[in-house]
Amino acid sequence: MDQYIIAVPSANPGGLEAAMGMHFGHCELFTLITIQDGAVSSVETMPNVPHAHGGCIAPVQVLAERGVSKLLAGGMGFRPLMGLMQSGIEVFHTGSCATVGDAVTAFLKGELPAFSTDFTCRGGH
């Protein structure tokens, strides 16, 4: 049985129908999707950690502690990208996906590229 957790920066209220939170560090919350045997088995939300408590690395630590192994995002700075990668979390670029569900579907079809420094927001987080 193959099982893993995907995190997606989301707008309130979160969930598969929620709009993407297009920038990792500034999203309202994360939608956490458990994938089991290639399909969605559960969906929950988790509030984002305020920047005041550890800057842009604080959400990385919380996601790693929750067992997240993949993150789908539209944008992020270099520092959180490196933190996610060092935590063993694979990061994928969502491009023009409008909703969390669109991003998850594209990921499951293998349509999202791995995040690279070309996608980072220079000077942002």
Side-chain angles (χ1 to χ4, degrees):
M1 174 168 56
D2 184 34
Q3 181 174 309
Y4 55 91
I5 300 172
I6 299 172
V8 184
S10 310
N12 273 321
L16 296 176
E17 300 301 317
M20 293 286 302
M22 294 311 291
H23 195 279
F24 171 79
H26 299 287
C27 70
E28 297 176 55
L29 53 87
F30 293 96
T31 298
L32 303 179
I33 303 103
T34 301
I35 304 295
Q36 186 169 334
D37 297 326
V40 173
S41 67
S42 70
V43 178
E44 61 183 296
T45 60
M46 179 188 89
N48 194 0
V49 179
H51 267 51
H53 300 304
C56 55
I57 294 301
V60 171
Q61 294 167 334
V62 172
L63 292 171
E65 289 168 3
R66 290 288 300 262
V68 169
S69 63
K70 298 169 187 355
L71 182 118
L72 314 180
M76 73 177 58
F78 183 76
R79 186 171 175 219
L81 176 60
M82 291 299 101
L84 288 160
M85 295 170 88
Q86 289 171 355
S87 295
I89 298 174
E90 295 178 273
V91 185
F92 297 87
H93 188 254
T94 59
S96 62
C97 294
T99 68
V100 171
D102 291 343
V104 172
T105 298
F107 172 78
L108 292 174
K109 289 180 177 179
E111 297 173 352
L112 298 184
F115 223 93
S116 74
T117 55
D118 292 341
F119 297 125
T120 61
C121 302
R122 306 286 186 239
H125 49 274

